[in-house]
Amino acid sequence: MRTDMLTIGAFAKACRLSPKALRLYDELELLRPARVDADTGYRYYAVAQLEQARLVAWLRRLGMPLAGIRRVCALPPDAAAREIRAYWARVEAETAVRRDLATFLADHLSAPPRKDATMLELRYAAHSDRGRVRPANQDTAYAGPRLLAVADGYGTAGARAGSAAVTALKALDTAEPPAGSVLNLLEDAVQDATRAVADATGGEEAGTTLTALLWTGSRLALVHIGDSRAYLLRGGGLFRVTHDHTVVQAMLDEGPLTPEEAVSHPQRSLLLRALDGGGTPPVPDLRLHDALPGDRYLLCSDGLSGVVPDDRVRSLLCAAPDPDAAVRSLTDAANEAGGPDNVSCVVADVVEAGA
């Protein structure tokens, strides 16, 4: 036998893959043997294949699907490295969502029931604008007594996708949600919105973000997918409630990208999660926020957050006497900054009932 060839057993030992795994990867065309004996069917591997075999083993340890491993192995080193980084950014983002959901569920189940004597309600306004560059408005903004929502559509049928997603949630605006079932309602609403987007887009390359708050009478329940945002203005301070589901945000979380670099990053709008009508709905962020009199909530598309700095948003929210004035001033600020995208804003004040 040639000295540069190894039996399947020797090759398996050298690359730390079992013979069973090597046979599977042969069948999947991930790692073909250099030679197969015509009489016995026995597999032989070249010593030069060890590096690729080890790469396959490492990628399997990362949990990368076989299709992803096949793609990485076919790329030159620099492109393969970028593909691995992008894959891990998606894993980190998905893990963060599951971690946040687990924390929220634990807090929700262990928190004692609230006994508020003060009755609260929302005062709200919504406004959506095409901006100064885009030929059409693909955003949808909605505000009602119980539901606040913003959707930012993209693709050839983006306007229909965003409108369908928000419409699917509007049923939640008609009646007070039963106690203890807000999470279930929002989870079901995401399922409904996914089907609605699929029906509205008809297989076209399109989708939408979705960020919404559902009023329960003393709390606001959040559902969030994509890079539209929710903010809370409380005591003069502006707090971002949502976490962007984007490649750039994942890179920020990991550390290789700075906030300054993120502003001009060419992939800053590349979403890790969105409602695109696919078979499996994305996992949304779900949270409950205790409401206090005087709180002011803002929901917006990235047509606002992408061009108007947070400190400017805070000052405009503080200065506006009511939600209607707030959404108008925020939209004007986005357009004054160039209006490169559609801009949608929903603002709601938490007030004592009857005030």
Side-chain angles (χ1 to χ4, degrees), residues 99-114 183 219 286-290:
R99 180 197 63 220
D100 291 347
L101 180 57
T103 300
F104 165 74
L105 287 171
D107 292 345
H108 175 67
L109 293 172
S110 61
R114 293 184 56 185
L183 283 181
R219 290 175 171 177
L286 295 167
R287 292 189 183 90
L288 275 176
H289 291 266
D290 290 328

Side-chain angles (χ1 to χ4, degrees), residues 115-138:
K115 298 179 180 179
D116 294 323
T118 304
M119 297 296 294
L120 302 175
E121 63 183 17
L122 298 181
R123 303 286 171 81
Y124 49 84
H127 184 62
S128 186
D129 189 90
R130 180 172 61 87
R132 294 185 173 177
V133 175
R134 297 294 176 89
N137 191 353
Q138 294 188 306

